C-alpha cells in the first residue's frame, strides 16, 4: 500500500454521533454519574495496594474525577513507567486511528499488503492470509515470539522477518497464540503504510489530543519501534488514555478514536489460556463484581481497567522486572477493582 501520511481523516458515522447515541448503537451501558468511594474506603484501597509486594502506583478516576493518585516505594504517578505489554493496548488504538484515517483499509486487510518488501520471499504462503485483525486478536497462528522464544527473537537480526518465518502452530483465526511478534508486525505495518515512525504516530494521534508525553522507546535493528513492549508512560498518561476509552473515544469533547472502534476492540474474538478471560483487539475482557470489565495487562502488573457501567478507570503500575507471579498478582489487583466497583455502586 502506498504511503499515506497526509490522507484526510474520515470518521465513521457512529464516530460523529453524540456520545449517548453512539452508546446506544454500540451497546454501551448508560448509567447515572457514579459516586466516589467514601474516605474510609479510599484509604482502605490505598492501604491494600501499598501492601502488594510489587506495587508502584495506583490511580483511580470515577466519573472523570481522579479520586486516588498514590505512589508507593518511592514511585510517583508523574514519573515514566515501563508499561511492558500494556503497550499492546495502545498499539491497537493506533491501528484503529489508522483505519479511521484510511491508512489501513480495515481489520480484514492482509498484513502483507502493508508490510511490502519487509515480507520474506521464502516465508510460508499462508502468511498472505493473516489479517490485521488476526494480529490484533492474537490469532495469527504463528509460533509465538513471547515466552521461551522471546530472547532469541529480540536477539535476531530482523524481528519482522523472524516473526513471519516462524512455523504455524495453529490455524489462522483459530486458538489464541499470544505473541509480541504479532503486535510488532502491526508497528511495522503502521510505519510502512505511513512513512512515519510508530513514535511519531503515537505522539500525533494519541499524545497531542490527550495532552500526554510519549517518550521514545526501544526499536528493532531496522529502526521499527517495538510494537507491544518497553513503552514508557506515566500513570497519569495511562489514566487519561483509559478515560478517553471509557468515554467512547472522546477527550474534553474532542474525538480521538471512533466509538465503533472501541466497540470492535471490546468484542470477544478468542480466549486466553493464561487467565481464562476473553480477548478482543489488545484488550482482555472479564467480569468483576458482576460488571463487564475491559483491561490491558503488562508483565509484572502494569494494568489498566475500564468499567463503563460505573464510570470507573483504574491504573496500577508495578515492578516490571522478573520474577513476577503473573496471574496471582493480577487476581489481588482485581480484588481491589471489585471493591471499587462495589464502593461506587453504593457510594460507599
Amino acid at each position: 500500500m502506498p504511503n499515506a501520511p497526509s490522507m484526510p481523516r474520515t470518521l465513521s458515522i457512529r464516530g460523529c454521533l453524540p456520545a449517548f447515541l453512539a452508546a446506544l448503537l454500540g451497546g454501551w451501558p448508560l448509567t447515572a454519574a457514579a459516586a466516589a468511594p467514601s474516605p474510609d474506603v479510599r484509604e482502605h484501597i490505598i492501604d491494600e495496594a501499598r501492601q502488594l509486594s510489587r506495587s508502584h502506583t495506583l490511580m483511580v478516576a470515577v466519573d472523570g474525577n481522579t479520586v486516588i493518585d498514590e505512589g508507593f516505594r518511592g514511585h510517583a504517578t508523574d514519573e515514566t513507567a515501563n508499561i511492558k505489554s500494556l503497550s499492546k493496548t495502545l498499539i491497537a488504538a493506533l491501528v484503529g486511528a489508522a483505519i479511521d484515517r484510511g491508512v489501513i483499509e480495515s481489520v480484514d486487510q492482509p498484513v502483507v499488503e502493508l508490510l511490502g518488501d519487509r515480507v520474506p520471499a521464502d516465508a510460508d504462503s499462508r502468511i498472505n492470509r493473516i489479517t490485521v485483525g488476526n494480529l490484533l486478536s492474537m490469532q495469527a497462528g504463528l509460533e509465538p515470539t513471547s515466552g521461551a522464544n522471546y530472547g532469541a527473537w529480540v536477539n535476531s537480526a530482523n524481528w519482522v522477518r523472524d516473526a513471519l518465518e516462524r512455523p504455524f502452530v495453529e490455524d489462522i483465526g483459530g486458538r489464541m497464540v499470544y505473541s509480541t511478534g504479532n503486535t510488532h508486525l502491526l508497528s511495522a505495518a503502521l510505519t510502512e503504510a505511513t512513512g512515519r515512525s510508530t513514535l511519531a504516530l503515537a505522539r500525533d494521534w494519541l499524545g497531542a489530543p490527550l495532552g500526554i508525553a510519549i517518550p521514545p522507546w526501544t526499536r528493532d535493528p531496522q529502526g521499527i519501534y517495538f510494537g507491544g513492549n518497553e513503552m514508557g508512560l506515566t500513570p497519569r498518561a495511562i489514566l487519561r488514555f483509559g478515560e478517553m476509552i471509557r468515554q467512547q473515544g472522546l477527550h474534553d469533547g474532542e474525538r480521538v478514536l471512533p466509538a465503533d472502534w472501541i466497540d470492535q476492540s471490546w468484542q470477544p474474538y478468542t480466549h486466553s489460556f493464561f487467565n481464562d478471560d476473553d480477548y478482543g483487539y489488545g484488550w482482555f475482557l472479564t467480569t468483576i463484581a458482576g460488571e463487564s470489565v475491559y483491561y490491558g495487562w503488562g508483565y509484572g502488573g502494569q494494568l489498566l481497567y475500564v468499567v463503563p457501567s460505573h464510570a470507573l478507570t483504574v491504573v496500577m503500575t508495578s515492578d516490571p522486572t522478573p520474577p513476577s507471579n503473573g496471574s496471582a498478582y493480577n487476581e489481588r489487583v482485581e480484588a481491589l477493582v471489585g471493591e471499587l466497583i462495589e464502593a461506587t455502586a453504593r457510594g460507599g
Side-chain angles (χ1 to χ4, degrees):
M1 182 176 180
N3 293 345
S6 61
M7 293 184 72
R9 181 175 182 177
T10 54
L11 287 172
S12 65
I13 294 175
R14 284 177 56 191
C16 297
L17 291 173
F20 75 93
L21 185 53
L24 288 173
L25 291 173
W28 290 65
L30 292 172
T31 60
S38 69
D40 287 347
V41 170
R42 178 183 175 278
E43 291 306 313
H44 168 71
I45 294 291
I46 292 171
D47 186 58
E48 288 200 350
R50 182 181 292 110
Q51 292 180 41
L52 293 173
S53 61
R54 303 180 65 87
S55 63
H56 283 182
T57 68
L58 174 68
M59 295 197 71
V60 177
V62 179
D63 200 30
N65 299 308
T66 300
V67 298
I68 295 177
D69 184 333
E70 291 289 326
F72 315 113
R73 298 171 180 82
H75 296 276
T77 58
D78 60 354
E79 296 174 351
T80 300
N82 185 340
I83 66 171
K84 308 299 284 186
S85 286
L86 176 53
S87 57
K88 292 177 171 64
T89 308
L90 279 88
I91 295 294
L94 289 179
V95 171
I99 292 172
D100 183 41
R101 289 164 169 79
V103 173
I104 295 175
E105 291 176 5
S106 72
V107 293
D108 297 321
Q109 185 172 13
V111 72
V112 295
E113 293 182 2
L114 297 164
L115 291 173
D117 60 9
R118 295 184 186 274
V119 178
D122 57 350
D124 189 314
S125 63
R126 285 177 287 179
I127 68 168
N128 295 316
R129 296 192 284 111
I130 297 174
T131 66
V132 169
N134 294 147
L135 295 173
L136 287 166
S137 62
M138 299 293 173
Q139 293 176 287
L142 293 166
E143 179 184 71
T145 62
S146 298
N149 298 328
Y150 181 80
W153 177 55
V154 295
N155 284 305
S156 69
N158 188 314
W159 296 5
V160 170
R161 178 179 296 276
D162 185 278
L164 289 171
E165 287 182 337
R166 289 183 175 269
F168 279 87
V169 295
E170 293 289 340
D171 293 334
I172 298 170
R175 188 178 69 91
M176 180 184 190
V177 181
Y178 185 91
S179 176
T180 301
N182 290 344
T183 323
H184 190 64
L185 291 175
L186 291 171
S187 180
L190 287 165
T191 298
E192 189 69 24
T194 63
R196 303 173 66 195
S197 72
T198 307
L199 171 63
L201 298 176
R203 286 175 168 175
D204 187 12
W205 296 349
L206 296 177
L210 292 175
I212 60 175
I214 302 178
W217 69 97
T218 304
R219 290 187 287 176
D220 73 8
Q222 285 66 50
I224 302 296
Y225 278 90
F226 204 159
N229 202 359
E230 304 299 332
M231 181 185 285
L233 290 176
T234 68
R236 291 181 183 179
I238 302 168
L239 186 72
R240 190 168 292 188
F241 171 80
E243 275 289 282
M244 177 272 292
I245 295 292
R246 182 187 68 79
Q247 296 179 83
Q248 305 156 41
L250 294 174
H251 174 69
D252 287 345
E254 298 296 324
R255 183 151 300 285
V256 180
L257 291 174
D260 56 358
W261 174 254
I262 298 167
D263 185 46
Q264 276 187 270
S265 299
W266 285 359
Q267 296 303 310
Y269 299 105
T270 186
H271 195 75
S272 170
F273 63 87
F274 287 119
N275 55 17
D276 207 33
D277 287 339
D278 289 331
Y279 194 72
Y281 288 160
W283 291 88
F284 290 91
L285 289 59
T286 193
T287 301
I288 302 176
E291 300 294 339
S292 295
V293 176
Y294 310 90
Y295 69 99
W297 175 18
Y299 180 88
Q302 323 315 317
L303 294 156
L304 167 63
Y305 295 89
V306 180
V307 190
S309 62
H310 284 242
L312 178 65
T313 303
V314 181
V315 173
M316 169 73 79
T317 63
S318 310
D319 184 353
T321 61
S324 168
N325 56 359
S327 294
Y329 184 84
N330 287 19
E331 287 170 6
R332 296 187 64 186
V333 178
E334 286 193 6
L336 294 182
V337 175
E339 292 185 47
L340 284 164
I341 289 173
E342 292 174 354
T344 53
R346 62 174 182 263

